[in-house]
Amino acid sequence: MLDNWVVVPTCLPLVRRRCHACASARFRASGKFRVNAHHKLIDAWLLVLCTACGDTAKLTLLERANVRSVRPELLDRLHDNDAGLTAELLRDPVVQRRNRVSLDWDGAWRLDTGGAGHLEREVADVAVRFAARIPVRPVRLIAEGFGLARAEVERLIAEGNLVSAVRLGGTLSGDFTFTLKR
């Protein structure tokens, strides 16, 4: 029987970026956008706040874009400070690359295993699905899902009792499956 686990975001991740005021390295999304129009050109930013001093920084979303090239529903969502749009844009790799930032997912996700029925079985086949691109070590997920220590999970991998088509030693943010034999 295949168990389905889901890695679900619980809140918005922090943004890793250096603060110019206090040299802190973490910002939180304010959920607010700033839109500025220059005749036929438009700029848009996502405002983020330093977790240490509260200073505001801007993440560039649109820069000197022609107003007619921007979808009207996107403009409406920007003007309405849509929380869903904030989450979408924070996870967008293009926005992260343009602004030279990364996301800090510590404490911003949870593992939903669907109950404890998999704990007693001799052989457990598990499919792990990610609701968002959250980089997590598979060893950590497996340890948390089965209530084991990470060293125990490492030992099971070394003995061949925990197998997967993907490499379990690194960090993943995409779906994978594994089999645990006890």
Side-chain angles (χ1 to χ4, degrees), residues 19 21-28 48-57:
C19 179
C22 70
S24 171
R26 302 282 190 269
F27 283 79
R28 65 176 175 80
V48 292
L49 304 170
C50 177
T51 57
C53 69
D55 193 42
T56 303

Side-chain angles (χ1 to χ4, degrees), residues 13-42:
L14 294 177
V15 176
R16 288 188 190 134
R17 175 185 174 160
R18 180 74 49 205
C19 179
H20 296 291
C22 70
S24 171
R26 302 282 190 269
F27 283 79
R28 65 176 175 80
S30 68
K32 306 254 187 252
F33 296 96
R34 175 149 186 243
V35 180
N36 194 9
H38 312 279
H39 302 288
K40 294 180 182 180
L41 302 177
I42 191 167

Side-chain angles (χ1 to χ4, degrees), residues 123-176:
V123 177
D125 290 319
V126 179
V128 180
R129 188 176 60 80
F130 288 79
R133 292 186 52 82
I134 303 170
V136 182
R137 293 183 180 278
V139 170
R140 179 178 178 187
L141 290 177
I142 295 166
E144 186 174 321
F146 283 100
L148 303 171
R150 288 188 203 172
E152 177 70 12
V153 174
E154 296 284 352
R155 185 185 62 74
L156 288 168
I157 292 171
E159 292 174 352
N161 291 330
L162 179 59
V163 294
S164 176
V166 299
R167 193 171 143 273
L168 297 174
T171 301
L172 291 176
S173 59
D175 302 350
F176 69 98

Side-chain angles (χ1 to χ4, degrees), residues 68-147:
R68 292 187 187 270
S69 69
V70 180
R71 295 185 330 270
E73 56 272 3
L74 175 61
L75 278 177
D76 290 342
R77 291 177 77 187
L78 287 169
H79 287 298
D80 294 339
N81 293 320
D82 186 341
L85 182 61
T86 301
E88 289 173 33
L89 293 173
L90 272 179
R91 292 191 295 246
D92 186 355
V94 174
V95 172
Q96 291 178 31
R97 208 172 15 259
R98 172 188 282 161
N99 292 285
R100 296 184 187 100
V101 297
S102 62
L103 300 180
D104 182 3
W105 283 97
D106 288 344
W109 61 272
R110 67 179 169 77
L111 178 64
D112 182 13
T113 60
H118 61 277
L119 296 177
E120 291 97 30
R121 280 186 265 159
E122 286 293 317
V123 177
D125 290 319
V126 179
V128 180
R129 188 176 60 80
F130 288 79
R133 292 186 52 82
I134 303 170
V136 182
R137 293 183 180 278
V139 170
R140 179 178 178 187
L141 290 177
I142 295 166
E144 186 174 321
F146 283 100

